[in-house]
């Protein structure tokens, strides 16, 4: 039976090809592991277990494309960092982030329509500018977001030199019962660095994967986890809109990645990162994309695990 979220995954497959056994998006990735150490300020924001004590993590660094053979140096792709914090009580909680500063759309129907608008003209194989233009005309929020996103699609020198943003707002409640809303980002300790323009075309197809393996063999890779706190009037349900830069930012901790995990998943035991997988002291905001993502991810997971 086909439904709305099946249609979304079908439309993703139409853009990137259907690749049995692979994720419909972020098909190509490297699984790594390490630890997360919270800052003293983290407990003041949220009572979440991993904001009180150090925990192990499993993470996945990926390209945005649904094509597992995509070039790492694609100029039109985002990169992803998904992190699973393994909690002391055996549960887990996830943060799923990308190198985009904002998201393209604010709801699932717009996402589906945007996927259709990006389907190339069947005759020329080129983007259908008429369809795209019509979509952008009806979605000024996407037209504005694209201006911010395009420069962020330039490939980094390394997965370790990119900033990753989780984009949606989440509600954080501390032990005193105080709640604040915020948006997460992972800031690379190695600094942000893009691949020089003249090296992009000649970069190896898999240079990001090769580089992160080499880098980890020489030592750990680290990111600071920060949260930007919503101010008066900031929109909580719409990831196409950036919040003002002067908003307070609270440092939450240090993610240290130490090793590549080989053969990290099998169809029987898939690795699943879900932005709605929160824990005590953290709740999803009313952003409708969060729930929609969870449902679309479930379709992709069902298909990729059934394909074996
Ligand atoms: C309606 C909006 C979106 C849809 C329909 C969507 C869809 C998907 C799907 C189907 C997958 C594959 C899931 C799997 O098989 O495990 C995926 C993976 C992923 N998505 Fe999204 N996505 C959306 C928005 C976003 C946003 C806003 C972000 C970042 C903030 C994001 C970041 C990622 C990442 C990093 C992965 C790879 C996770 C991993 O490594 O397992 N996506 N997405």
């Amino acid at each position: 039976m086909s439904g709305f979220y099946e249609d979304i995954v079908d439309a993703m497959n139409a853009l990137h090809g259907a690749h049995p056994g692979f994720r419909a998006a972020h098909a190509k990735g490297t699984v790594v592991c390490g630890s997360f150490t919270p800052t003293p300020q983290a407990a003041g924001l949220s009572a979440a277990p991993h904001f009180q004590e150090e925990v192990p993590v499993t993470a996945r660094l990926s390209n945005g494309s649904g094509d597992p053979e995509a070039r790492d140096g694609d100029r039109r792709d985002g990169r992803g960092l998904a992190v699973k914090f393994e909690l002391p009580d055996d549960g887990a909680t996830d943060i799923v982030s990308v190198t985009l500063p904002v998201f393209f759309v604010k709801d699932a129907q717009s996402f589906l329509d945007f996927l259709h608008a990006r389907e190339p003209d069947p005759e020329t194989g080129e983007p259908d500018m008429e369809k795209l233009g019509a979509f952008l005309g009806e979605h000024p929020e996407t037209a504005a977001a694209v201006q911010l996103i395009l420069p962020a699609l330039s490939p980094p020198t390394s997965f370790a030199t990119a900033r990753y943003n989780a984009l949606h707002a989440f509600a954080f409640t501390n032990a005193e019962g105080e709640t604040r809303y915020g948006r997460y980002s992972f800031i690379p300790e190695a600094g942000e660095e893009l691949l020089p323009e003249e090296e992009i075309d000649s970069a190896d197809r898999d240079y990001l994967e090769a580089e992160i393996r080499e880098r980890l063999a020489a030592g750990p890779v680290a990111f600071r986890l920060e949260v930007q706190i919503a101010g008066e009037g900031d929109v909580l349900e719409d990831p196409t809109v950036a919040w003002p830069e002067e908003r307070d930012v609270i440092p939450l901790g240090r993610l240290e990645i130490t090793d590549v995990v080989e053969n990290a998943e099998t169809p029987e035991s898939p690795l699943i990162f879900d932005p709605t997988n929160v824990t005590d002291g953290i709740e999803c905001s009313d952003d409708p994309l969060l729930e929609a993502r969870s449902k679309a991810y479930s379709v992709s997971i069902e298909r990729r695990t059934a394909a074996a």
Side-chain angles (χ1 to χ4, degrees):
M1 201 185 79
S2 185
F4 180 68
Y5 295 98
E6 283 79 4
D7 290 350
I8 288 188
V9 173
D10 287 343
M12 295 172 92
N13 288 166
L15 276 186
H16 303 290
H19 303 280
F22 289 92
R23 286 164 174 74
H26 296 262
K28 181 178 175 187
T30 305
V31 178
V32 293
C33 65
S35 61
F36 175 75
T37 311
T39 58
Q41 295 100 307
L45 179 72
S46 162
H50 58 309
F51 293 159
Q52 322 303 311
E53 61 179 287
E54 182 177 327
V55 296
V57 301
T58 302
R60 186 168 176 273
L61 293 153
S62 57
N63 289 334
S65 171
D67 177 359
E69 301 200 345
R71 286 184 61 81
D72 289 352
D74 189 333
R75 287 184 172 82
R76 288 160 306 169
D77 208 5
R79 281 87 201 161
L81 168 59
V83 181
K84 186 173 289 298
F85 301 84
E86 287 145 33
L87 303 177
D89 69 355
D90 273 2
T93 183
D94 304 338
I95 297 180
V96 187
S97 60
V98 279
T99 49
L100 315 186
V102 290
F103 199 55
F104 294 99
V105 293
K106 61 178 179 181
D107 57 55
Q109 183 63 53
S110 309
F111 188 76
L112 181 58
D113 294 345
F114 190 41
L115 289 169
H116 287 315
R118 285 161 57 202
E119 278 164 16
D121 182 320
E123 276 174 22
T124 62
E126 294 296 316
D128 185 334
M129 295 319 282
E130 207 172 304
K131 253 196 319 187
L132 263 177
F135 178 87
L136 294 176
E138 284 161 24
H139 294 273
E141 72 283 7
T142 302
V146 165
Q147 296 306 313
L148 299 176
I149 292 170
L150 285 179
L153 302 182
S154 211
T157 52
S158 165
F159 277 129
T161 62
R163 172 192 171 115
Y164 301 85
N165 307 300
L167 302 181
H168 308 282
F170 290 85
F172 299 94
T173 304
N174 63 18
E176 282 73 50
E178 296 157 345
T179 298
R180 278 174 283 177
Y181 283 84
R183 289 174 169 175
Y184 297 113
S185 292
F186 287 104
I187 319 296
E189 274 188 7
E192 290 180 61
E193 194 179 69
L194 296 177
L195 202 60
E197 177 56 37
E198 65 277 12
E199 291 178 25
I200 297 179
D201 288 336
S202 57
D204 283 348
R205 190 191 72 169
D206 304 326
Y207 82 91
L208 282 176
E209 179 171 2
E211 198 279 344
I212 200 70
R213 286 173 174 274
E214 216 171 286
R215 194 180 277 253
L216 285 171
V221 161
F223 295 87
R224 277 195 332 269
L225 176 63
E226 295 183 347
V227 67
Q228 185 191 27
I229 300 297
E232 194 70 30
D234 287 344
V235 56
L236 301 177
E237 301 88 17
D238 182 352
T240 63
V241 179
W243 293 344
E245 265 181 31
E246 62 269 19
R247 292 289 178 256
D248 284 351
V249 170
I250 301 178
L252 292 181
R254 184 170 187 266
L255 171 69
E256 186 177 91
I257 295 173
T258 50
D259 294 286
V260 172
V261 183
E262 307 294 351
N263 310 316
E265 47 188 342
T266 60
E268 295 73 37
S269 156
L271 196 47
I272 296 168
F273 297 95
D274 182 331
T276 66
N277 181 22
V278 290
T279 185
D280 296 348
I282 307 175
E283 278 181 71
C284 291
S285 62
D286 290 335
D287 182 337
L289 267 186
L290 275 166
E291 207 46 50
R293 283 178 65 188
S294 187
K295 290 182 175 149
Y297 289 28
S298 296
V299 173
S300 170
I301 292 157
E302 208 171 289
R303 291 186 184 178
R304 69 179 160 94
T305 54

